[in-house]
Amino acid sequence: MTYSMRLTIKATCKMHLRKFPLDRQTCVLLLGSYGYSIKDVTYKWKVPLPVDREEGVNLAQYDLVEILTNEQVLPSSRRDNVSVISVEFRLSRHTGYFLLQVYVPCTLIVCCSWVSFWIDPAAVPARVSLGVTTVLSLTTLGFGGRASMPRTSYATALDWFVILCFAFVFASMVEYACINYIDKVSVQLLTSAGGDRKIQRKKLVVSKRKKRLNRSEFGLNKETFSRIFHWFLRKFRDPWEFVKTSPNKFSAIDIYSRKIFPICFGIFNIIYWIAFIYYIDNEFPIDT
């Protein structure tokens, strides 16, 4: 006796999204009988190809890595065992969309925040506007487009990356606030120690910097172009040469931040990608 029936099933799959969007999911579909025990009906997969998929049919967000089948006997509430067959779909999420839309833009915004370390501390509007712009951009990019993301009660891998990128951008603003505070404290100490000449000299230097920054018209002759060209050649040979030649133009905190921030961000990326790809499990721990 042969009995055939076509069924369209809409099944749900419980997903564990701690590694989202670097996660792999396992969805299990069970087929059995509620009304007949194993004495009446026994389900078996047809060999050698129990489950097949049509060529050219793909999922939008996942790659179907593997299909596994199994036959088992489960106990029922009527004290009779029932025959059940199961199929297990192993899925791997596509990460290209999230790399282009979140990871790469967030990394570039963090790198843009480091430009402030090369701006003269006297240029307050330039540094403040750059810091505020990067913070708002990262906030909009990382936290604004959450409608298309899964809503979970725990932090995912993408959430950790955005939060730590936001911390780096916010730290660059705090760094400039520390520079201003230290400058004010140093001025007060010089005033209390009677260093009026030093203060006047410092004010004169600051006024010259402001005049130089506010100067909008300048001429480029052959001599000026030659000096600019040789300056770029020196910087290309030794990018940190200006640290030695012009120590008074930039704060010591800026000079150290140029190296500390990129190194720390690089270390964070190495730890992040190695941990979430190789060490953190796909399955979210179940409370017992």
Side-chain angles (χ1 to χ4, degrees), residues 35-169:
Y36 298 96
S37 65
I38 193 174
K39 299 178 182 179
D40 302 320
V41 177
T42 301
Y43 290 94
K44 291 183 179 295
W45 287 111
K46 182 180 179 180
V47 293
L49 190 61
V51 179
D52 192 13
R53 62 173 179 173
E54 186 177 353
E55 293 293 335
V57 176
N58 297 314
L59 298 176
Q61 298 185 23
Y62 297 93
D63 281 329
L64 186 56
V65 179
E66 191 178 10
I67 300 177
L68 301 177
T69 57
N70 189 22
E71 300 173 0
Q72 53 186 328
V73 177
L74 299 179
S76 66
S77 59
R78 302 188 306 273
R79 298 182 181 179
D80 294 329
N81 296 331
V82 294
S83 177
V84 175
I85 56 176
S86 64
V87 55
E88 184 177 302
F89 301 97
R90 295 189 177 181
L91 309 173
S92 177
R93 190 184 300 272
H94 295 158
T95 58
Y97 171 82
F98 301 98
L99 287 174
L100 296 176
Q101 298 294 326
V102 181
Y103 282 100
V104 174
C106 287
T107 303
L108 294 178
I109 291 175
V110 173
C111 295
C112 288
S113 67
W114 301 337
V115 178
S116 62
F117 302 149
W118 276 267
I119 299 178
D120 193 345
V124 178
R127 295 196 63 162
V128 172
S129 60
L130 178 61
V132 173
T133 302
T134 52
V135 169
L136 294 179
S137 300
L138 191 60
T139 302
T140 304
L141 179 65
F143 302 102
R146 304 298 297 176
S148 59
M149 305 292 179
R151 299 178 181 180
T152 59
S153 59
Y154 48 87
T156 63
L158 184 64
D159 294 331
W160 283 117
F161 187 85
V162 173
I163 290 171
L164 291 175
C165 286
F166 185 84
F168 274 95
V169 173

Side-chain angles (χ1 to χ4, degrees), residues 116-124 127 175-176 179-180 183 202 205-206 208-210 212-213 231 235 241-255 258:
S116 62
F117 302 149
W118 276 267
I119 299 178
D120 193 345
V124 178
R127 295 196 63 162
E175 183 264 352
Y176 183 59
I179 291 176
N180 279 335
D183 287 343
K202 187 173 183 179
V205 172
V206 172
K208 289 182 179 179
R209 290 175 182 172
K210 291 182 178 179
R212 186 169 62 252
L213 292 172
W231 183 84
K235 303 313 171 190
E241 181 185 355
F242 63 90
V243 176
K244 310 168 191 175
T245 57
S246 56
N248 296 325
K249 187 175 181 180
F250 298 99
S251 172
I253 300 177
D254 275 340
I255 295 173
R258 294 165 191 165

